[in-house]
Amino acid sequence: MSEIPAKATESEDPSDGARAAEAEEAAEAEDVLDSGASGQAPGAPGGVTMWQSSAPGSIYDYIKVASFSIGPDGHVDQWSLRAEQIFGIPAERAVGLDPIAAFITPQLRERGQRKMAEILDGREWTGVIPFRAPDGSGAEGLAEVYVMPTTTEDGERAAVCIIVDVRTLRSIETDLAASQAIFGQSPFGFLLIDADLRVRRANQRFAATFGGTPDEHRGRSVHHYLQSPEAERVSATLRRVLETGESITDMHVSGTIPGSDERRHWSVNLYRVHSGSGHPIGIAWLGTDITSRREAAREAAAARRNLALLNEAGARIGNSLDLETTARELLDVVVPGFCDLATVDLYQGLLAGDETPPGLADGSAELRRVAFASAVSDTPFDDGPETVDVGAVHHYAFNSPCADALRTARPRHIPAEDGGLIQSTLAVPMVAHDTVVGLAQFSRTKGSEPFGERDRALAVELAARAAVCIDNARLYRREHERALILQRSLLPPGDPEASGLDIACRYLPGNAATGRPSEVGGDWFDVIELPGHRTALVVGDVMGRGLRAAVAMGELRTAVRTLAQLDLEPAEVLAQLDEIARGLGAPGGVQQATRAARRPREADLSEVYLATCVYAVYDSVTRRCTFANAGHLPPVLVEPGEPALMLDVPPGMPLGVGGEPFEEVEVELPEGALLALYTDGLVESRDHPLDEGLQAFVGALTDPSQPLEDVCDHVLNTLDTHHGEDDLALLMARVQGLPAESVGDWTLPREPRSVGRAREYARARLLAWDLEPLVDTAELLVSELVTNALRYGEGEIRLRLLLDRTLVCEVWDAGLVQPRRRRARDTDEGGRGLQLVGLLSAAWGSRRTPRGKTVWFELPLPDGEHGLTDPAEALLSLF
């Protein structure tokens, strides 16, 4: 408060009247200010507050106004501080100057002198005068001058001049006009809110929204426009802006407007407004209606959400070819992203493999619930009178919305029942390739947004995508089951039986251990009984997967059985299989394949079938086993009391490669030994190398004395981590050789009486074996075979009788000519021996041996189930 008197003391010089006048005005102002310090004006009734201790801000803070006076001589006699600020001349220099000569440009001085004379003559004058500073700086300006005549104490004429800087005035006028234009013409709702959070001014746009004229909104608060608690939130924000000065941009405010219940949304920007002195005087409110924008944003967000759901559905649905898994994948996508509860029902007949189950057209066919998902804990799906559990078979009432959806292949909206948790349900038929395969239901609980038209379209799209995947899985399951039936039909049924061997086997298709859909492959095993109580053991693996490999496996397995019946050596069997495998991929057989191999371009067009195979022939009399290997894994042998070992059998080349001979290895197997043949699916996988798997397999065969079934289970359980994508076949055989007392072996000289001796040997041994019912038939057939050996064979004759599950008689000689059965004419005296053998025996045949040939026949044991043919009737039937 001391600054004003201090400035007034500058006019103590008697010659400076301006200083004295200002000192007097400052003193009066000080009195007013001092009285205002207590909050009241002097003499104000009721103690009305005039000024606060802080500057309130005034128009004079913006407009530059100055004053000076002119004495009777036309010179300046008083000069104010504001004049010093405008003209830049201190009072001690200004007092006594001729204002016309000092401030007016030479071109206008003559006119100025005339005006000065008129003023001193007592006339008022107002005008705009260009001026320049007389201090030599060259500063120029434009001043609006108000001249008011007056008289001195001596009665002489003088004048008081008030000067306004025209540039500042024009700037203020421009700012006011711009402010009025912005405030009045703004397309946004504009409010000026005072420090009491009351509306001081509103523009027309705001009044048009909330009704009335702009003046009618003066004095209102936000509570006149918004309801609690929104009004409290906005008031708190206004107060914070007023206190901190921090601006708020894009604050979302929601409410209703008069005459409408529609909820509107506004985006509001707030900033604090200050006076010229920097004092906060209120808050500017700039708001725009964003209801449409928010709705568009919601629509865009919904579209993005739907696209995201469709994208997720494309990525997650159909990753497996399992029906139940595919249905669960659909529900994993829609719950809770699209709905709160969902179910999937599929037609039971389609799941069972029927193309058109009864009731499919009218929606009355039975369905099975394959999946259910809920985002609300312990909330069952509302199916009407009763709840359907997952796995249950049911059907919908004919007049129900679900049955109608199935009949028409169109979605149906199911309204909610009163008092229930579910708000609404969409029943959407699952259509694939113009066939309805099931029904998906999507439900939202109360409190969630109800289903709209866009939701309906999205539900149809999701159901259709899942339906195609489910239909593909259904078709795959059907074809896969057929392929498995084909593959299993090519494998030995049950556990095969063989003379002198205890056999157990296992076959697992690929992925059976992982729970995923198994795929047919080319692994196979076989047990083939050969003459003379011998047995062929076969394990093979066609490279590749799928139906193609299974068909190739079937052809090779059939070829192996055919070649085995010819009683060829193991190496020769594999050589013939190699030729057959080379011809499988060529339409013309092996010759066409050979020619194509010579022409590389044609070779590329033919399919190549490669397979590995191990073929072994076991003789129960000698307990010797002959192996031949075509690129397969080595057999494993476990002798009693010894660790398991892999037999050193030359692997050879896989079948289908051609050009390389196969080697044979003969091994004598002790009584009780365990022989294991297997495919690579048992010991090899992506996660475990072959060597590691082989060692694990060998290590699992620790106790071969256990029952073979238990040994097989132990091996599979131990190697379960190794099995995964490939098929596996395991064939295990325990050696049980033919006892010596079950074998009769005699050598006969090449003379006619050997026929009688052969009958005697056979009769005596059969009676010793307590097989008297077979004596007559055996004697007759033995004499026929020995007679043929004497007549058509060479060298000495060997007779051998073998007793196991059947009786086998073998006659050996050194001749190479194979016996051939022919039909004798009625007039022929001979030629009926082999016909008689065929009539009386269960089976007969001949095979080559390293030193000639062997002719044999087989008789069933007299167990009461198989009756023997009467030799007399058989002889009579030949004539």
Side-chain angles (χ1 to χ4, degrees):
M1 304 295 274
S2 61
E3 293 180 359
I4 296 177
K7 292 181 181 179
T9 59
E10 297 177 2
S11 62
E12 290 178 357
D13 188 346
S15 64
D16 193 352
R19 298 297 184 187
E22 289 189 1
E24 184 179 358
E25 293 173 359
E28 293 176 357
E30 185 176 9
D31 293 338
V32 174
L33 289 174
D34 289 340
S35 63
S38 62
Q40 297 180 357
V48 178
T49 301
M50 296 295 290
W51 287 3
Q52 301 297 326
S53 59
S54 59
S58 171
I59 189 64
Y60 296 106
D61 293 333
Y62 300 96
I63 303 175
K64 295 181 179 180
V65 180
S67 65
F68 64 91
S69 63
I70 300 175
D73 57 355
H75 293 178
V76 176
D77 62 357
Q78 290 184 357
W79 190 259
S80 67
L81 295 177
R82 288 294 182 110
E84 289 185 4
Q85 295 174 2
I86 293 176
F87 294 102
I89 300 175
E92 57 268 18
R93 288 185 56 195
V95 174
L97 290 177
D98 181 356
I100 303 301
F103 300 105
I104 304 303
T105 59
Q107 295 84 355
L108 299 176
R109 286 177 183 172
E110 181 180 355
R111 184 180 178 186
Q113 292 294 344
R114 292 198 303 268
K115 291 296 182 182
M116 179 62 70
E118 293 177 358
I119 292 170
L120 294 177
D121 195 30
R123 296 180 60 182
E124 291 186 2
W125 181 82
T126 302
V128 178
I129 301 174
F131 70 89
R132 64 179 181 179
D135 57 357
S137 63
E140 296 182 353
L142 195 64
E144 187 170 338
V145 181
Y146 301 87
V147 182
M148 294 168 287
T150 185
T151 58
T152 65
E153 294 178 354
D154 299 333
E156 296 180 295
R157 294 187 181 276
V160 175
C161 300
I162 299 176
I163 300 173
V164 178
D165 188 344
V166 174
R167 292 175 300 178
T168 303
L169 188 61
R170 296 294 179 264
S171 175
I172 292 174
E173 290 175 351
T174 303
D175 291 345
L176 289 175
S179 175
Q180 181 62 29
I182 294 174
F183 198 87
Q185 301 173 18
S186 172
F188 309 112
F190 214 147
L191 294 178
L192 182 60
I193 301 174
D194 62 16
D196 295 327
L197 304 186
R198 296 283 178 176
V199 176
R200 283 291 169 235
R201 189 175 180 185
N203 70 343
Q204 184 59 41
R205 182 56 181 264
F206 185 88
T209 301
F210 287 92
T213 63
D215 291 339
E216 292 176 351
H217 292 273
R218 294 179 184 273
R220 293 182 179 180
S221 69
V222 293
H223 290 273
H224 288 85
Y225 309 105
L226 304 174
Q227 296 180 349
S228 297
E230 186 76 339
E232 284 79 2
R233 181 180 71 87
V234 175
S235 296
T237 304
L238 292 173
R239 194 171 294 108
R240 187 172 69 251
V241 172
L242 188 61
E243 293 173 354
T244 65
E246 296 179 358
S247 300
I248 300 294
T249 59
D250 196 25
M251 179 180 72
H252 287 192
V253 178
S254 61
T256 59
I257 60 177
S260 175
D261 293 333
E262 180 186 3
R263 194 159 192 83
R264 311 290 292 179
H265 301 273
W266 295 275
S267 173
V268 176
N269 296 326
L270 303 173
Y271 58 92
R272 191 168 68 180
V273 179
H274 303 84
S275 66
S277 62
H279 180 74
I281 60 174
I283 303 169
W285 169 301
L286 183 64
T288 180
D289 193 327
I290 60 170
T291 304
S292 300
R293 190 175 75 188
R294 279 176 60 95
E295 187 63 28
R298 289 183 58 188
E299 294 289 328
R304 287 193 299 270
R305 183 181 69 248
N306 292 350
L307 288 175
L309 275 174
L310 290 176
N311 183 58
E312 185 180 7
R316 297 181 60 181
I317 300 176
N319 291 325
S320 70
L321 289 173
D322 180 74
L323 292 168
E324 290 79 4
T325 301
T326 303
R328 287 194 297 269
E329 289 171 347
L330 169 63
L331 300 193
D332 290 340
V333 171
V334 300
V335 178
F338 177 70
C339 60
D340 300 316
L341 298 94
T343 64
V344 174
D345 298 324
L346 300 179
Y347 277 119
Q348 177 68 8
L350 294 177
L351 295 177
D354 299 337
E355 291 295 335
T356 55
L360 185 64
D362 59 12
S364 63
E366 290 185 336
L367 298 106
R368 178 159 61 90
R369 178 147 298 173
V370 296
F372 165 75
S374 172
V376 185
S377 60
D378 301 330
T379 301
F381 198 90
D382 186 7
D383 293 290
E386 58 183 13
T387 300
V388 180
D389 296 327
V390 175
V393 177
H394 67 103
H395 68 275
Y396 292 106
F398 185 82
N399 58 351
S400 65
C402 292
D404 184 63
L406 291 170
R407 281 193 301 272
T408 61
R410 294 182 178 179
R412 290 291 180 266
H413 181 268
I414 304 176
E417 296 183 359
D418 295 337
L421 178 64
I422 295 178
Q423 179 193 77
S424 61
T425 299
L426 283 177
V428 184
M430 306 181 71
V431 184
H433 311 299
D434 297 329
T435 300
V436 179
V437 299
L439 183 74
Q441 295 187 68
F442 310 108
S443 293
R444 289 180 179 174
T445 57
K446 293 183 178 178
S448 300
E449 184 178 356
F451 288 114
E453 192 60 32
R454 180 181 287 104
D455 296 324
R456 184 188 184 103
L458 178 61
V460 171
E461 177 64 22
L462 290 172
R465 292 194 178 195
V468 171
C469 296
I470 287 176
D471 193 54
N472 291 339
R474 178 183 67 86
L475 295 176
Y476 171 80
R477 174 181 288 186
R478 185 186 66 184
E479 297 303 321
H480 179 258
E481 288 177 352
R482 293 177 180 178
L484 285 179
I485 291 174
L486 170 63
Q487 186 180 33
R488 292 191 181 103
S489 68
L490 299 176
L491 297 174
D495 290 333
E497 296 181 355
S499 177
L501 291 175
D502 182 15
I503 295 178
C505 52
R506 292 288 187 275
Y507 173 79
L508 291 177
N511 300 110
T514 62
R516 290 177 290 176
S518 56
E519 184 179 0
V520 295
D523 290 16
W524 91 92
F525 66 92
D526 209 345
V527 178
I528 308 170
E529 292 191 84
L530 301 178
H533 290 307
R534 293 174 304 128
T535 304
L537 304 176
V538 188
V539 170
D541 182 5
V542 177
M543 298 182 185
R545 310 214 22 95
L547 191 59
R548 172 180 174 270
V551 171
M553 176 270 285
E555 295 187 24
L556 292 178
R557 177 179 180 271
T558 302
V560 169
R561 296 189 71 88
T562 301
L563 295 172
Q565 294 301 327
L566 297 177
D567 216 346
L568 302 178
E569 297 297 325
E572 189 174 353
V573 170
L574 294 186
Q576 295 297 326
L577 279 179
D578 179 60
E579 292 290 326
I580 294 173
R582 291 170 59 196
L584 288 179
V590 65
Q591 290 82 4
Q592 180 67 26
T594 302
R595 288 194 295 268
R598 296 171 183 171
R599 298 188 293 271
R601 293 183 179 179
E602 295 185 15
D604 294 340
L605 300 178
S606 62
E607 293 183 282
V608 178
Y609 288 84
L610 298 178
T612 62
C613 180
V614 60
Y615 184 86
V617 175
Y618 170 71
D619 190 336
S620 62
V621 178
T622 62
R623 294 200 307 276
R624 300 187 69 84
C625 189
T626 304
F627 296 92
N629 191 354
H632 203 78
L633 297 174
V636 175
L637 178 65
V638 186
E639 296 185 5
E642 299 291 337
L645 56 90
M646 289 181 287
L647 295 178
D648 186 12
V649 179
M653 299 298 293
L655 302 178
V657 175
E660 294 293 333
F662 298 97
E663 299 183 37
E664 293 182 356
V665 173
E666 189 176 61
V667 179
E668 183 174 353
L669 305 180
E671 186 74 18
L674 183 63
L675 179 65
L677 306 178
Y678 52 95
T679 58
D680 58 357
L682 181 67
V683 295
E684 186 179 23
S685 69
R686 293 182 179 180
D687 301 329
H688 299 84
L690 179 61
D691 292 343
E692 181 181 333
L694 287 173
Q695 293 301 323
F697 176 50
V698 172
L701 299 174
T702 55
D703 189 4
S705 62
Q706 292 184 353
L708 278 185
E709 296 294 334
D710 295 342
V711 175
C712 289
D713 293 338
H714 174 69
V715 169
L716 294 182
N717 292 334
T718 302
L719 302 182
D720 181 64
T721 55
H722 298 281
H723 177 61
E725 299 179 355
D726 199 6
D727 309 15
L728 70 83
L730 175 63
L731 177 62
M732 306 193 76
R734 178 176 287 117
V735 174
Q736 297 175 348
L738 200 63
E741 57 271 16
S742 297
V743 179
D745 195 347
W746 302 275
T747 301
L748 301 173
R750 192 171 187 79
E751 55 186 27
R753 59 181 181 180
S754 293
V755 177
R757 291 180 181 176
R759 288 198 299 267
E760 292 176 1
Y761 293 152
R763 171 180 288 273
R765 185 53 58 93
L766 291 179
L767 291 177
W769 287 340
D770 198 17
L771 295 176
E772 185 176 357
L774 301 180
V775 170
D776 295 339
T777 302
E779 278 188 316
L780 178 60
L781 298 183
V782 166
S783 63
E784 287 294 334
L785 295 187
V786 173
T787 299
N788 284 343
L790 287 173
R791 181 175 298 178
Y792 304 108
E794 299 178 4
E796 62 181 4
I797 301 170
R798 181 182 175 188
L799 173 65
R800 190 169 72 167
L801 296 179
L802 306 175
L803 177 62
D804 192 30
R805 292 180 295 114
T806 60
L807 175 66
V808 175
C809 175
E810 299 176 334
V811 175
W812 307 46
D813 68 77
L816 299 177
V817 179
Q818 297 290 323
R820 182 172 61 86
R821 180 178 178 180
R822 63 184 180 87
R823 180 172 294 279
R825 292 174 296 181
D826 294 342
T827 57
D828 291 341
E829 297 182 357
R832 298 181 177 83
L834 293 181
Q835 293 186 41
L836 185 63
V837 172
L839 287 174
L840 295 179
S841 64
W844 79 278
S846 65
R847 67 177 185 276
R848 290 187 177 88
T849 63
R851 298 181 181 180
K853 67 176 182 296
T854 300
V855 183
W856 58 271
F857 68 84
E858 182 178 342
L859 295 176
L861 299 181
D863 54 3
E865 297 181 5
H866 302 86
L868 296 175
T869 303
D870 186 6
E873 294 180 359
L875 288 172
L876 292 176
S877 65
L878 298 178
F879 297 93

